[in-house]
Amino acid sequence: MSNRSRGVRGRKNASAVKLVGSLVGTFRRAAGLTQIALAEAASVDEETIASIEQGRRTLKPDLAGLLDDLLDTKGALSVAVANMPEIDLFPRWAEDYIDLEREALALSWYDNQVLPGLLQTPGYARAVFLNEVPALTEEEIEQRVTARVERQEILHRREPPTVSFVISEVTLMDRLGGDEVYFGQLRRLREWADLAAVTLQIMPVGRDFHAGLAGPFTVIETTDHQRVAYAEGQQQGRLVADPDVVSVLERKYAMLRTQALNPLETKSLLDRLLGEQ
């Protein structure tokens, strides 16, 4: 998933999120509550409260209002959120997806133009952002690279989500960033392919039938075993919760997995490409 943000009002200072998170922690402790107790009272995961307090997750207005009531803060958190500048790391339309990705039990991801963000090296991510039109500033590029790489933390958790990737071979043909970046990215893909929680499959070019012609998408299994889909296009993305639509995408993904190289064949392809160095 790309982190496109042109046309979206940009947040200039990421420290605002940390400031609001610190306020949540301060008010929680003043109320004599642990993170677990507050999470239970708010009917959210403990990790949600921890992530907010640590500045890794934005406090949303609805949760801010609920915490104001629970912590008797006289509306302070709602006021802080309402006046907080937006961080220009993820477009507003992608923030909900990022939240779901961070807590997903499983992800089924198809991409056909660039490699999935969860698999990108810093060099490859930087090359992707250098191709943005209109051009991003160097500071904006570095912010986005950092944000993208930080998302990959979910693959290294003690209990990571189960993640399946089907990636078009076209993404391995472009050499974004030059040969050094290209081969570095191939090595990283080969490493990812050996992770126990990751399944990587390449969809070869030249197939006479292809279930993914309509574009990239991701199907997410949430912590309460619901399934939500995310599809992204130019300058926009959308989350889909309609079971009928999600079912269609799940069937597309199942078909894509049968059409792609299996995981062992994919590793062999990557080994062959790496042999070209």
Side-chain angles (χ1 to χ4, degrees):
M1 186 192 67
S2 303
N3 290 341
R4 303 179 183 93
S5 61
R6 288 300 185 184
V8 178
R9 193 162 43 99
R11 290 186 291 191
K12 301 301 182 183
N13 189 355
S15 65
V17 175
K18 294 184 179 180
L19 175 60
V20 173
S22 295
L23 285 175
V24 172
T26 298
F27 289 136
R28 172 183 59 76
R29 288 186 291 271
L33 296 175
T34 64
Q35 289 182 342
I36 294 176
L38 181 58
E40 290 177 349
S43 298
V44 298
D45 294 332
E46 179 189 356
E47 174 60 24
T48 297
I49 298 298
S51 295
I52 289 171
E53 291 188 2
Q54 293 166 19
R56 294 187 287 109
R57 181 171 184 166
T58 304
L59 178 61
K60 300 294 180 63
D62 55 347
L63 182 55
L66 177 58
L67 294 183
D68 277 329
D69 292 338
L70 293 173
L71 300 174
D72 192 25
T73 61
K74 307 298 189 293
L77 293 175
S78 295
V79 171
V81 168
N83 290 278
M84 184 175 62
E86 295 179 7
I87 295 178
D88 197 18
L89 296 178
F90 302 110
R92 180 177 293 277
W93 44 262
E95 286 185 349
D96 288 338
Y97 168 81
I98 296 299
D99 288 344
L100 288 169
E101 179 187 88
R102 187 180 292 119
E103 298 179 357
L105 289 179
L107 295 163
S108 299
W109 189 317
Y110 168 64
D111 234 321
N112 64 353
Q113 198 62 45
V114 296
L115 293 172
L118 287 182
L119 301 180
Q120 293 179 12
T121 64
Y124 183 94
R126 186 172 294 106
V128 170
F129 292 126
L130 281 170
N131 280 273
E132 288 282 3
V133 178
L136 301 172
T137 67
E138 185 62 29
E139 180 182 5
E140 289 172 327
I141 290 172
E142 292 308 312
Q143 287 177 339
R144 285 162 179 72
V145 170
T146 298
R148 179 157 293 181
V149 172
E150 286 178 349
R151 286 168 52 201
Q152 298 171 4
E153 174 271 335
I154 67 171
L155 299 179
H156 297 290
R157 290 178 185 164
R158 185 169 58 85
E159 297 183 6
T162 300
V163 188
S164 169
F165 296 99
V166 175
I167 307 167
S168 172
E169 188 180 5
V170 170
T171 64
L172 303 182
M173 293 179 173
D174 289 333
R175 298 201 174 200
L176 300 179
D179 284 352
E180 183 177 352
V181 169
Y182 173 73
F183 285 109
Q185 179 63 71
L186 287 181
R187 287 190 292 272
R188 179 63 60 84
L189 286 177
R190 188 61 181 83
E191 293 168 4
W192 289 132
D194 281 334
L195 291 181
V198 173
T199 301
L200 179 60
Q201 295 179 252
I202 302 298
M203 170 68 80
V205 296
R207 289 291 199 233
D208 59 7
F209 185 84
H210 195 308
L213 296 181
F217 62 90
T218 305
V219 177
I220 308 135
E221 182 179 357
T222 68
T223 53
D224 57 355
H225 304 292
Q226 299 297 309
R227 283 172 171 76
V228 182
Y230 178 83
E232 184 173 295
Q234 290 284 339
Q235 299 295 317
Q236 62 180 342
R238 65 190 183 103
L239 281 170
V240 181
D242 185 329
D244 291 334
V245 177
V246 174
S247 173
V248 169
L249 293 177
E250 286 185 311
R251 282 178 278 165
K252 283 179 180 284
Y253 195 79
M255 184 65 73
L256 284 166
R257 294 197 68 179
T258 69
Q259 296 169 340
L261 299 178
N262 67 38
L264 185 59
E265 292 168 335
T266 294
K267 292 178 184 180
S268 295
L269 172 60
L270 292 172
D271 288 339
R272 289 197 302 274
L273 292 173
L274 282 166
E276 298 174 0
Q277 295 182 81

